[in-house]
Amino acid sequence: MRTYDFSPLWRSTIGFDRLFDLAELAKREGEDNYPPYNIERLADDRYQISLAVAGFAPDDISITAEQNVVTIEGSKSDKAESDFLYRGISTRHFKRQFSLADYVQVEGAGFDNGLLKIELVREIPEAMKPRRIAINGVPADSAQKQLEAKAA
C-alpha cells in the first residue's frame, strides 16, 4: 500500500497542515536517491547533513535556506575535457530539499574530501524556553514555622 488518504484527518484536525505536507513530500521524493547523504545528531541541539558530491566543486553547488527548508542544488557544466571510456562518477544536476523543524537554523557549510557538510543548530528563543515561576504569598520559612507550631 503506497498511497495514503489523509482526507479523514483533514476533517478532524486543526493546525497539522505542515505535518501532512511533509508526509506528502516524503511520498513524492522517495524515488530519487542522488546524491547520497547522511543526517547526524552531533549534540542535543546540533545536527549535520553530509552529502557525497564527488566530481563537484564548491562553486558548482548552491545552498539556500528559507523559512523551514534548506535547499542544496548542484549543476556541473558539460565541458568536454576528456574522452571517457567509462563514466561511473555522476555529475548530473541535483536538487535536494530538507525540511527543518521550528527554530533550526543553518549555521554554516564546508566542503571536505568530496563531502558537503551543512551544520545546523536549534536556537530556541528565550521566550519559548521553560522558566521557573515564583509563587506569591507566604514565604517558605514562615509556612514551616506555622506547621511546627500546630504540631506542638
Side-chain angles (χ1 to χ4, degrees):
M1 184 173 161
R2 292 296 251 174
T3 60
Y4 303 101
D5 183 19
F6 292 117
S7 56
L9 296 173
W10 283 107
R11 290 189 300 254
S12 61
T13 59
I14 299 170
F16 291 95
D17 305 346
R18 184 165 151 70
L19 178 66
F20 296 136
D21 291 343
L22 288 173
E24 288 288 332
L25 183 66
K27 183 174 68 171
R28 279 184 274 138
E29 288 187 356
E31 289 80 36
D32 188 21
N33 294 326
Y34 181 77
Y37 64 92
N38 292 334
I39 301 174
E40 300 175 67
R41 174 180 285 174
L42 303 176
D44 284 342
D45 292 333
R46 301 188 65 79
Y47 305 91
Q48 178 177 323
I49 301 171
S50 302
L51 283 91
V53 288
F56 287 89
D59 295 337
D60 299 332
I61 300 170
S62 69
I63 303 169
T64 307
E66 52 186 296
Q67 288 189 336
N68 291 353
V69 175
V70 62
T71 305
I72 301 103
E73 287 189 76
S75 60
K76 186 102 168 146
S77 60
D78 291 332
K79 296 179 184 175
E81 298 172 4
S82 301
D83 186 19
F84 289 100
L85 297 178
Y86 172 76
R87 189 169 194 163
I89 300 173
S90 178
T91 55
R92 66 181 181 192
H93 172 80
F94 69 87
K95 180 177 181 179
R96 172 77 61 184
Q97 290 186 320
F98 296 94
S99 297
L100 305 177
D102 292 336
Y103 312 116
V104 173
Q105 302 292 324
V106 176
E107 189 175 66
F111 196 84
D112 184 34
N113 293 329
L115 288 176
L116 174 66
K117 296 183 178 186
I118 302 169
E119 304 290 330
L120 305 168
V121 64
R122 178 184 297 148
E123 294 177 355
I124 300 174
E126 281 300 318
M128 301 297 290
K129 290 182 181 177
R131 62 183 191 273
R132 192 157 211 54
I133 307 297
I135 300 173
N136 294 331
V138 182
D141 194 28
S142 65
Q144 185 178 8
K145 287 179 187 176
Q146 205 173 27
L147 289 174
E148 288 175 3
K150 286 182 181 179

